[in-house]
Amino acid sequence: PKYDCMQYESIKDMKALDVVVESYFDGRLYKNKIWTGTVEGLPVYFIEPQHPGKFFGRGQLYGEHDDFKRFSFFSRVALELLLHAEKKPDIIHCHDWQTAFVAPLYWDLYVPKGLDSARICFTCHNFEYQGTAPASELTSCGLDAYHLNRPDRMQDNSANDRINSVKGAIVFSNIVTTVSPTYAQEVRTAQGGKGLHATINSHSKKFVGILNGIDTDAWNPASDNFLKVQYSASDIEGKLENKEALRRLLGLSSSEIRRPLVGCITRLVPQKGVHLIRHAIYRTLELGGQFVLLGSSPVPHIQREFEDIRNHFQNHEHARLVLKYDEALSHLIYAASDMLIIPSIFEPCGLTQMIAMRYGSIPIARKTGGLNDSVFDVDDDTIPDQFRNGFTFVTADEQGFNNALERAFNYYMNNAETWKELVQKDMNIDFSWDSSASQYEELYDKAVLRARTASRS
């Protein structure tokens, strides 16, 4: 969508095309203005609906009362654009519930119109968000609610008068992925699947977990302009200078350079283990460390609770809470901190732990989802030594967390040279998209090959 609140400075050569694409919605046709631009070297089409609802002119990306309408409208126009432009894609790859409508729309409405070259890949980044609505709302974008509101199609597994767009995408896609191998296993259970485990299990042959990567250009301590001093795995002295810079910036004590600094960069929502983050602040101070938290909460009572903690520590020489989103500060915290905590209750993939390691901040993480696929305990003898890169715990309680934090502190305090080796090892791990991208290419190739074989037979 051509949102009004995009970072337009990141789009090069943006221009409106001399073309109007009409699409069906709520019983009539609406015009859509189409724009093109280049983002990070890739051509991107932007769709601007000429609809009185100003679907994408609201000052925010999502969180509106009519999100179901907004995104089902967008999904239909996207397919209409492909048809109109006579594109013949091999793969249409959709992400999350906001574009999940593309899968049933493609097979039910657009294959009959001649847009039939593609196989559909759907990636769900978090099964907590499923895009449910009363079944009648599906008709707005032209889908047949009567035909689709069935247990084996789009009917929500917990309410037979509601449809579930993520379920529809699982049913109607050729490939379904999620963002880590462990999360792919977790969502096949009643606890992890958020009501969709039965659907995922009945389509398990086409379901796979592939770990996300990070943007290694945006997250690179050797060239990061947000840092006081840039540094690399072969020269990590700059990390100390960034630690000093952060302490000065936030008014923390610099009297002991070796005092361990624990960072936490997160959204303060229950998923992220809020009770353990709160506990970590106090336990870190008891152990003689410093603690810096950067994050805010959309949940009013959690935000208020952390505002109280922030006020309590506002003049403390070893703890600081910054309760907002601040990109520049996040880079500096990754660079400055000795350890970074990620005590998530569930974590589909998690990028924080990967960024932390790239900046030489050792992760202390709960073994769940993508954390379990990327953080391996220093003391775990079942893991080959070259893969051990952090400290992990299993049970989401204070005792489990304390064990990991205390082991990290002991390691830091008593083994300065081996800690430095651990920092350098972590900074050299490849968390780029290279390996994940090749796994996706393989999935694409197989799907295209199957499609061609099927069409020949």
Side-chain angles (χ1 to χ4, degrees):
K2 185 178 178 287
Y3 295 102
D4 61 346
C5 54
M6 290 190 297
Q7 294 176 331
Y8 281 90
E9 67 277 9
S10 304
I11 308 165
K12 292 191 171 66
D13 307 322
M14 191 166 191
K15 59 179 187 290
L17 296 185
D18 189 20
V19 59
V20 172
V21 173
E22 288 196 321
S23 66
Y24 173 91
F25 204 73
D26 278 339
R28 55 163 287 196
L29 292 174
Y30 288 94
K31 291 182 166 63
N32 297 275
K33 199 171 175 181
I34 310 297
W35 297 71
T36 61
T38 306
V39 180
E40 295 191 9
L42 293 170
V44 178
Y45 289 86
F46 298 92
I47 292 167
E48 183 179 14
Q50 308 295 291
H51 185 285
K54 291 197 168 31
F55 284 154
F56 303 107
R58 311 272 186 86
Q60 63 174 358
L61 305 181
Y62 50 78
E64 295 286 305
H65 67 96
D66 56 351
D67 276 356
F68 193 90
K69 252 184 168 31
R70 297 167 70 224
F71 292 110
S72 56
F73 183 100
F74 170 75
S75 296
R76 173 125 196 197
V77 191
L79 287 169
E80 200 64 54
L81 174 60
L82 289 176
L83 181 69
H84 187 93
E86 298 181 351
K87 300 274 187 191
K88 294 285 178 196
D90 292 312
I91 299 285
I92 298 174
H93 194 151
C94 311
H95 293 264
D96 281 342
W97 78 261
Q98 288 88 346
T99 55
F101 308 97
V102 166
L105 281 165
Y106 176 77
W107 295 110
D108 283 9
L109 299 181
Y110 284 86
V111 166
K113 292 182 181 194
L115 177 63
D116 59 3
S117 62
R119 286 297 174 262
I120 308 290
C121 178
F122 174 70
T123 297
C124 185
H125 296 254
N126 188 337
F127 280 93
E128 191 155 50
Y129 306 105
Q130 297 178 7
T132 67
S136 56
E137 285 201 25
L138 202 55
T139 54
S140 289
C141 68
L143 284 169
D144 183 340
Y146 178 75
H147 159 75
L148 291 170
N149 185 25
R150 290 174 18 182
D152 60 339
R153 295 186 184 163
M154 290 184 76
Q155 186 177 88
D156 189 63
N157 291 342
S158 57
N160 61 12
D161 58 343
R162 292 180 73 79
I163 53 100
N164 182 316
S165 55
V166 167
K167 179 178 174 179
I170 295 168
V171 171
F172 284 96
S173 296
N174 304 92
I175 306 165
V176 181
T177 78
T178 191
V179 292
S180 70
T182 296
Y183 188 56
Q185 292 304 311
E186 289 169 350
V187 296
R188 295 178 64 171
T189 67
Q191 186 187 3
K194 310 290 178 186
L196 283 175
H197 56 286
T199 305
I200 295 165
N201 284 320
S202 63
H203 292 272
S204 61
K205 280 194 172 66
K206 63 184 180 187
F207 182 58
V208 63
I210 297 176
L211 199 64
N212 279 344
I214 57 171
D215 182 338
T216 49
D217 293 328
W219 297 104
N220 182 1
S223 60
D224 190 331
N225 290 323
F226 290 119
L227 307 188
K228 176 81 164 64
V229 178
Q230 295 163 350
Y231 62 101
S232 65
S234 57
D235 174 21
I236 63 169
E237 291 312 305
K239 201 164 166 56
L240 266 181
E241 295 185 56
N242 285 299
K243 187 173 177 178
E244 280 304 289
L246 181 71
R247 285 166 156 174
R248 276 197 305 276
L249 179 70
L250 297 180
L252 295 173
S253 165
S254 296
S255 60
E256 292 171 68
I257 191 70
R258 282 282 298 158
R259 187 184 289 270
L261 179 62
V262 179
C264 181
I265 299 170
T266 188
R267 285 182 309 121
L268 293 167
V269 291
Q271 173 200 336
K272 300 295 183 182
V274 175
H275 65 297
L276 294 175
I277 294 169
R278 182 182 59 223
H279 168 73
I281 301 169
Y282 296 95
R283 188 68 190 126
T284 297
L285 296 176
E286 285 170 8
L287 292 171
Q290 292 181 315
F291 196 96
V292 174
L293 168 73
L294 175 65
S296 63
S297 182
V299 185
H301 77 88
I302 296 176
Q303 181 72 12
R304 279 197 303 274
E305 180 186 358
F306 277 84
E307 283 168 358
D308 289 344
I309 300 170
R310 177 194 63 194
N311 296 342
H312 176 71
F313 285 116
Q314 66 187 5
N315 298 314
H316 198 285
E317 59 179 354
H318 298 309
R320 199 67 73 242
L321 280 66
V322 182
L323 301 181
K324 62 178 182 179
Y325 171 76
D326 185 328
E327 188 184 3
L329 186 56
S330 74
H331 285 247
L332 186 56
I333 293 170
Y334 281 121
S337 56
D338 297 298
M339 307 155 200
L340 202 108
I341 63 160
I342 314 106
S344 304
I345 306 305
F346 73 96
E347 191 63 73
C349 175
L351 302 179
T352 309
Q353 75 280 12
M354 300 181 195
I355 299 167
M357 287 187 263
R358 184 142 169 91
Y359 282 68
S361 181
I362 307 304
I364 299 170
R366 186 163 169 270
K367 284 172 72 68
T368 181
L371 296 168
N372 187 52
D373 298 315
S374 55
V375 183
F376 305 103
D377 200 286
V378 162
D379 296 322
D380 186 348
D381 294 335
T382 66
I383 302 282
D385 191 55
Q386 71 263 32
F387 298 120
R388 299 186 212 169
N389 56 12
F391 297 86
T392 65
F393 62 102
V394 177
T395 52
D397 58 22
E398 293 180 7
Q399 194 179 353
F401 176 79
N402 284 352
N403 177 269
L405 184 70
E406 286 158 23
R407 286 187 298 113
F409 265 62
N410 285 336
Y411 201 96
Y412 177 88
M413 295 297 207
N414 302 324
N415 308 286
E417 197 48 45
T418 45
W419 184 272
K420 182 182 172 184
E421 286 166 14
L422 178 61
V423 167
Q424 290 173 309
K425 181 208 284 191
D426 281 17
M427 289 183 74
N428 282 319
I429 300 172
D430 179 8
F431 285 117
S432 73
W433 271 98
D434 293 352
S435 137
S436 311
S438 61
Q439 291 177 69
Y440 273 108
E441 281 183 315
E442 199 179 314
L443 282 181
Y444 292 167
D445 287 339
K446 281 182 184 164
V448 169
L449 189 65
R450 277 198 300 270
R452 285 178 186 152
T453 311
S455 67
R456 278 201 293 273
S457 62

